[in-house]
Amino acid sequence: MITDFKEIENSALNLDRKNKARLADKLLQSIQGKIDPEIEQAWVDEVQKRKESLKSGDASLHSATDVLKEARKRIEK
């Protein structure tokens, strides 16, 4: 069994993207506690809604640079 932090870290960094995400989720749950299933489902639903909105063209993506530039303009008024 791996017990050295560096070994664990190296093993984790060598995981594929999906398993890294699963591991990150498990680690966060161990720190924060279990997430309310209703809240988690609400976020899943929201992500799906936004994804469909992008696919259909009802929404669009903007770079962080452009968003911050626009926000600064509005604040200065």
Side-chain angles (χ1 to χ4, degrees):
M1 179 173 173
I2 302 172
T3 56
D4 178 68
F5 177 80
K6 270 296 187 197
E7 287 181 65
I8 295 169
E9 181 181 40
N10 288 334
S11 294
L13 291 173
N14 286 314
L15 293 170
D16 61 57
R17 189 180 192 125
K18 183 178 178 180
N19 283 318
K20 281 181 186 175
R22 289 178 59 215
L23 178 58
D25 185 50
K26 292 268 188 197
L27 290 171
L28 286 172
Q29 282 183 28
S30 74
I31 295 169
Q32 299 170 342
K34 260 309 201 194
I35 297 171
D36 183 329
E38 289 181 24
I39 293 172
E40 187 171 17
Q41 187 58 52
W43 276 113
V44 168
D45 295 345
E46 182 63 24
V47 168
Q48 191 61 35
K49 181 176 135 189
R50 291 182 187 197
K51 183 178 168 185
E52 292 302 320
S53 184
L54 285 168
K55 278 185 178 179
S56 71
D58 291 336
S60 59
L61 298 175
H62 303 276
S63 72
T65 302
D66 291 344
V67 171
L68 292 172
K69 190 185 299 182
E70 180 63 26
R72 286 186 182 105
K73 265 197 256 183
R74 291 181 184 200
I75 290 170
E76 290 173 0
K77 289 182 179 181

